[in-house]
C-alpha cells in the first residue's frame, strides 16, 4: 500500500478530498448553466442540460490524483475551445484541439431547442423570414461551417470552478494531510515498540 493510500485510509483526508471534488463539480455545473462573458464573448454552454448532468470527478487513493471530466465527446471542446481553420478564437490554450465542422443535424436540433428564428435583410433593416426546411438546413450548415473556420472560444467551466474552490479547501486539505501523517508516524512508532530483536 502506498503512503498516500495509507493517508487516505487513516484520518479525514479522503472525506475532505471528496468534499472538494463535489464542490468543484457543483461550481462547474453552475458555470455551464449560467451565461458568462469569456474573452469578450457572452456564452451559455448548456442548452439541454446534458453537459452539466455529465460532469463528474474521480479520486485515485493510490496517487492522490483528482480527475474531473465528462463522458460527452464535446465537453473538452467547450472547456478548452478549438482552433479554427482560418482563425483562432481569443483565450487560446495549449489544450485546444482543431475545430471540426459539427453535423448540421446537431445544429438544427440546437436551433429548435433555442427557438432560433431566421431573419432576412430589408431596405430599412431586417425582419423575420418565412421559414422552410431548406432555409433552416442552409443556415445550420452555415453555422457549422463558421465553427469550423473560426473555432470555438473556451468556456473554462472546470478551470474556473477549481481555481475558485481551491483557496477555500486548501487549509482543510493541509490539516487532513497533517493528521494522516501524524497517525502514520504513531503507527510506525507502535510497530517499532512491539518488534522483537
Amino acid at each position: 500500500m502506498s503512503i498516500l493510500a495509507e493517508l487516505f485510509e487513516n484520518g479525514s483526508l479522503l472525506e475532505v478530498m471528496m468534499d472538494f471534488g463535489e464542490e468543484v463539480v457543483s461550481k462547474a455545473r453552475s458555470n455551464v448553466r449560467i451565461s458568462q462573458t469569456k474573452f469578450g464573448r457572452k456564452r451559455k454552454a448548456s442548452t439541454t442540460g446534458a453537459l452539466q448532468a455529465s460532469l463528474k470527478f474521480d479520486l485515485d487513493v493510490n496517487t492522490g490524483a483528482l480527475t474531473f471530466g465528462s463522458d460527452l465527446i464535446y465537453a473538452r471542446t467547450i472547456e478548452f475551445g478549438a482552433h479554427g481553420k482560418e482563425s483562432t478564437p481569443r483565450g487560446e490554450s495549449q489544450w485546444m484541439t482543431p475545430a471540426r465542422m459539427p453535423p448540421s443535424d446537431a445544429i438544427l436540433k440546437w436551433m429548435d431547442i433555442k427557438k432560433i428564428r431566421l431573419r432576412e435583410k430589408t431596405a430599412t433593416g431586417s425582419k423575420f423570414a418565412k421559414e422552410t426546411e431548406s432555409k433552416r438546413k442552409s443556415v445550420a450548415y452555415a453555422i457549422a461551417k463558421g465553427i469550423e473556420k473560426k473555432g470555438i472560444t473556451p468556456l473554462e467551466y472546470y478551470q474556473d470552478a477549481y481555481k475558485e474552490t481551491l483557496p477555500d479547501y486548501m487549509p482543510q486539505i493541509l490539516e487532513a494531510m497533517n493528521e494522516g501523517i501524524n497517525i502514520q508516524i504513531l503507527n510506525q512508532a507502535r510497530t517499532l515498540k512491539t518488534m522483537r530483536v
Side-chain angles (χ1 to χ4, degrees), residues 18-131:
M18 293 297 284
D19 288 346
F20 173 68
E22 288 170 9
E23 184 65 21
V24 170
V25 168
S26 175
K27 286 184 179 178
R29 285 181 178 150
S30 177
N31 290 344
V32 167
R33 186 177 62 252
I34 62 173
S35 290
Q36 298 185 63
T37 302
K38 294 290 273 185
F39 309 107
R41 297 203 49 180
K42 190 168 185 170
R43 298 183 47 202
K44 180 179 173 184
S46 180
T47 302
T48 63
L51 178 58
Q52 68 192 63
S54 74
L55 301 182
K56 60 185 178 180
F57 76 98
D58 184 49
L59 175 64
D60 184 340
V61 295
N62 290 314
T63 63
L66 198 55
T67 308
F68 298 95
S70 166
D71 293 332
L72 298 178
I73 59 172
Y74 60 84
R76 178 184 172 87
T77 304
I78 300 294
E79 172 73 15
F80 298 116
H83 296 285
K85 283 187 173 181
E86 295 178 5
S87 64
T88 298
R90 293 196 314 196
E92 182 177 2
S93 82
Q94 64 183 359
W95 297 288
M96 266 188 176
T97 57
R100 287 180 282 176
M101 187 173 151
S104 294
D105 292 343
I107 300 294
L108 275 170
K109 183 179 176 185
W110 172 80
M111 289 170 62
D112 291 341
I113 291 168
K114 296 285 266 183
K115 297 181 177 21
I116 292 177
R117 293 182 58 196
L118 305 183
R119 298 188 69 84
E120 61 186 20
K121 291 182 180 180
T122 63
T124 58
S126 69
K127 66 176 184 175
F128 286 112
K130 182 178 178 185
E131 293 190 17

